Amino acid sequence: MGLMRSVFAAVLATLAAAPALAETDVKFALDWKFEGPSAPYFVALDKGYYKAEGLNVTIDSGPGSVAGIARVAAGTYPIGFFDINSLMKFRDQNPDKKVTAVQMVYDEPPFAIVSLKKTGITKPKDLEGKILGAPAPDGAFAQWKAFVKENGIDAEKVKIENIGFPVREPMLADGKVDAITGFSFSSFFNLRQKGVPADDIAVMLMSKHGLVLYGNAIMVNPDFAKAHPEVVKGFVKATIKGIIDTAKDPKSAIKSVMKRNETADEAIELARLEMALKDNIVTDWVKANGTGDVDPARLAKSIDQVGITYEFKAKPTAADIFTSEYLPPASERKM
């Protein structure tokens, strides 16, 4: 017995002295600020889900759902969270930069037309004769032509005013524009923070008015994915766990955001997260099929719909834009 104890002790000593397996550093770019909808990534970080996959993940804020794709293409960030519709255009403009989406997060996009109820805009055609404030690089405004076509709007009767992101909601609140384009959970709560009562705000989701588009997805640099497929798989697996946990308990999840954005209003950010979960992340399709994947037929149709607003030189296929090869089994993706 003494010999066995000595051997066991020697093994333990050897294990204790062995260096820990090195973690792979991964820089991940969000589309925007550290707000409610970014909770799943911080939950995955705080609960050790990335670490369990051997990843040391750094999460940075981003410049918007469109502009950040170039950062992934350049390899500045090997993995990012950006708009899949903008990725279609980026790939067409940069055929040698094969950035690919590997995990769908916003099964329905937050693209919206937001107005104050006193303007009387209750349906798309009500925008005729009105002033629409729209930042040129806005992901929602990028879908305007398709929205116009699907809803029979006479675009010549809508005055488009190019406004900056910082003044978008203030101009609506001040009555300088009649409606704005934006992400639903951004514009709604930005208006709330300006003192506009919730009951005075009208949000018209484009996904409820003819658009079959997807929204933001996790996308990867092609060289990084080829060299580190297990890292991508691990990142996706951990992120999905973060999404599932966030959907189960948003009130706990928002704490992970607040730790990193102490100036934010926790009640506002929780409500913003809950809106994103209800409208964009945990949709009926996701409830039935699990989070992360896409319906290839719908994605193909969405490429056609993007073609209404953008003239492709060489239209991509659904397989060019999205791959499910890095996703865990469907049983691990059920909400």
Side-chain angles (χ1 to χ4, degrees):
M1 285 295 292
L3 179 61
M4 286 183 67
R5 278 200 296 269
S6 298
V7 170
F8 185 60
V11 169
L12 284 177
T14 302
L15 288 173
L21 288 174
E23 293 179 352
T24 301
D25 291 335
V26 178
K27 289 177 67 180
F28 173 57
L30 288 174
D31 59 332
W32 197 233
K33 303 169 187 174
F34 293 176
E35 295 181 335
S38 62
Y41 316 104
F42 294 120
V43 167
L45 199 61
D46 289 346
K47 289 194 172 183
Y49 294 154
Y50 292 125
K51 189 178 180 67
E53 299 299 324
L55 308 179
N56 177 34
V57 175
T58 302
I59 302 174
D60 290 339
S61 58
S65 62
V66 177
I69 296 173
R71 295 181 174 187
V72 175
T76 310
Y77 289 89
I79 306 178
F81 175 65
F82 301 109
D83 175 42
I84 197 168
N85 308 292
S86 301
L87 176 62
M88 297 169 192
K89 302 173 193 176
F90 181 87
R91 286 283 302 265
D92 188 57
Q93 294 160 6
N94 304 272
D96 59 323
K97 296 175 180 174
K98 301 186 186 301
V99 176
T100 307
V102 295
Q103 178 192 341
M104 183 53 61
V105 179
Y106 292 163
D107 181 64
E108 291 188 13
F111 306 145
I113 304 290
V114 181
S115 62
L116 301 184
K117 288 181 181 176
K118 64 184 179 182
T119 61
I121 298 170
T122 60
K123 58 185 184 297
K125 278 186 75 66
D126 291 340
L127 288 164
E128 294 176 3
K130 300 291 195 294
I131 300 172
L132 179 66
D138 176 45
F141 182 58
Q143 321 311 327
W144 172 246
K145 287 183 182 177
F147 184 71
V148 163
K149 181 180 178 183
E150 293 295 337
N151 293 283
I153 299 169
D154 185 344
E156 291 186 4
K157 293 182 180 177
V158 183
K159 182 182 178 184
I160 306 292
E161 189 158 330
N162 182 8
I163 58 178
F165 287 114
V167 299
R168 174 174 55 185
E169 287 80 18
M171 286 184 71
L172 178 62
D174 293 342
K176 293 177 181 175
V177 295
D178 299 308
I180 55 176
T181 63
F183 276 26
S184 54
F185 51 69
S186 291
S187 292
F188 181 89
F189 290 104
N190 289 348
L191 286 166
R192 293 286 293 112
Q193 288 173 315
K194 297 293 179 190
V196 180
D199 288 345
D200 291 355
I201 305 169
V203 178
M204 188 187 304
L205 287 169
M206 293 182 175
S207 61
K208 305 301 182 189
H209 294 276
L211 293 196
V212 300
L213 307 177
Y214 283 95
N216 278 29
I218 303 297
M219 46 192 71
V220 298
N221 176 281
D223 296 331
F224 182 86
K226 186 177 180 180
H228 308 284
E230 295 307 313
V231 169
V232 178
K233 285 181 181 177
F235 184 90
V236 167
K237 181 179 179 180
T239 299
I240 285 172
K241 286 184 177 179
I243 290 172
I244 292 171
D245 284 5
T246 298
K248 283 179 183 172
D249 190 356
K251 287 182 181 177
S252 294
I254 204 65
K255 304 291 185 188
S256 289
V257 176
M258 296 308 298
K259 282 198 299 189
R260 296 159 173 96
N261 187 354
E262 294 176 356
T263 61
D265 181 315
E266 184 168 338
I268 289 273
E269 295 312 322
L270 174 58
R272 198 193 302 265
L273 170 59
E274 290 175 334
M275 180 183 275
L277 287 168
K278 178 175 68 74
D279 292 342
N280 315 119
I281 299 172
V282 190
T283 63
D284 289 342
W285 192 91
V286 167
K287 288 174 186 174
N289 299 279
T291 185
D293 208 351
V294 301
D295 172 358
R298 178 184 157 197
L299 182 57
K301 189 176 178 184
S302 77
I303 295 170
D304 291 339
Q305 207 160 50
V306 168
I308 297 170
T309 66
Y310 172 84
E311 189 175 338
F312 287 110
K313 297 172 202 158
K315 189 166 73 172
T317 66
D320 292 331
I321 298 301
F322 184 93
T323 178
S324 59
E325 66 182 290
Y326 301 101
L327 291 174
S331 60
E332 295 180 27
R333 297 186 282 104
K334 292 288 185 182
M335 302 303 293

